[in-house]
Amino acid sequence: MTIDLQNPNQQWSMLIHDLRNPLATVHGYAQLLRRQAANERMQPRDMEQGLGYIQEAAARIECLLDQLSAGPEPLSRVATDPIAPTDLIEVARHMAAQSQPVSGGPERIVVLPALQQLSGNWDRVALERILGNLLDNALKYSPADRSVLVTVRRSGGVAVVSVADQGVGIAPDDLPYVFDPGYRAPNAAGLAAGKGIGLAAVRTIVHALCGSVSIDSQEGTGTTVSFSLPLDGERHSGS
């Protein structure tokens, strides 16, 4: 499938794609709570936490559906609309927890921040879409017994987030094309279903936030995708 990101209407395809991540959270936690109840291992705290994640995922779905109804314009405004400060580290930890049922356990995604808090005037749903896609890819293309490492740090006037897996990696010849909409590396296409939209969506959203994104990978070793976002609202040059 080919997506022309120069045509704003094609951002609908990315919105539809990104609905899958909160839907997976709803399905995963519903299944997890059902198993715990069936095994009589349900604790009040587990119930409260699971239902909380389901409720928050439903809110994300509602927000994305609102954007679908309005068209792609909201994405073009995420860098300019007045927004309350958002803690990037809290969002990273939250997305890791929401991915727990899909990842196979709470220990598979490890978030290692270099500081306690890192806040900026970023749209939270946009951050969740970026991290949701990166975590989804890392989990899909990694063995179930390998961890995914998320690091968050500050470098000068930008926040830098890296998502590193220990999966199949990407061949050097394929790396220049992985952010192209509709492109899938041949060694990844046979491992999991997909349409090649996730990384294209990540790049589009990061650029809408005036940031940059990069990828480093070695075939058979793993992949690290990093994105940088300006802390002062000024455009940060990059790919």
Side-chain angles (χ1 to χ4, degrees):
M1 179 178 66
T2 300
I3 300 173
D4 179 14
L5 294 183
Q6 301 304 315
N7 179 354
N9 290 330
Q10 295 302 318
Q11 292 181 15
W12 277 321
S13 297
M14 294 189 299
L15 284 167
I16 293 170
H17 173 271
D18 290 354
L19 279 167
R20 297 179 183 274
N21 290 320
L23 283 171
T25 295
V26 171
H27 178 73
Y29 269 100
Q31 292 287 84
L32 179 62
L33 293 176
R34 183 178 291 113
R35 288 196 302 270
Q36 289 176 338
N39 295 330
E40 298 183 350
R41 292 188 292 109
M42 178 71 69
Q43 300 294 324
R45 182 176 179 275
D46 296 333
M47 172 71 78
E48 181 179 358
Q49 184 181 64
L51 291 177
Y53 284 131
I54 289 173
Q55 187 174 23
E56 290 162 6
R60 287 171 58 204
I61 292 169
E62 185 176 1
C63 183
L64 291 173
L65 289 174
D66 286 344
Q67 291 189 29
L68 276 170
S69 299
E73 185 181 3
L75 181 58
S76 66
R77 296 201 310 260
V78 295
T80 57
D81 279 355
I83 298 171
T86 302
D87 181 6
L88 186 53
I89 294 171
E90 185 274 327
V91 175
R93 285 173 169 156
H94 198 77
M95 292 303 295
Q98 285 205 353
S99 299
Q100 177 184 335
V102 179
S103 69
E107 304 300 328
R108 191 174 175 201
I109 301 177
V110 180
V111 179
L112 291 179
L115 57 171
Q116 291 187 340
Q117 187 179 46
L118 187 57
S119 295
N121 292 326
W122 305 303
D123 180 87
R124 185 183 179 95
V125 174
L127 294 179
E128 290 174 342
R129 290 177 65 187
I130 295 167
L131 285 164
N133 276 310
L134 294 181
L135 290 174
D136 179 59
N137 276 357
L139 294 171
K140 280 197 304 188
Y141 301 119
S142 300
D145 60 347
R146 303 282 179 85
S147 296
V148 172
L149 178 63
V150 181
T151 57
V152 186
R153 61 186 176 88
R154 176 172 183 158
S155 178
V158 300
V160 182
V161 181
S162 297
V163 178
D165 65 50
Q166 303 175 65
V168 296
I170 303 168
D173 290 345
D174 294 314
L175 275 176
Y177 309 104
V178 294
F179 290 106
D180 292 350
Y183 185 83
R184 300 191 72 204
N187 66 331
L191 291 177
K195 296 183 178 179
I197 299 177
L199 286 179
V202 165
R203 182 174 64 178
T204 299
I205 299 167
V206 168
H207 284 184
L209 293 170
C210 303
S212 65
V213 61
S214 63
I215 188 168
D216 179 61
S217 186
Q218 293 186 358
E219 194 170 14
T221 302
T223 299
T224 300
V225 181
S226 301
F227 65 94
S228 302
L229 300 175
L231 290 162
D232 56 7
E234 296 181 0
R235 181 167 293 278
H236 172 50
S237 61
S239 61

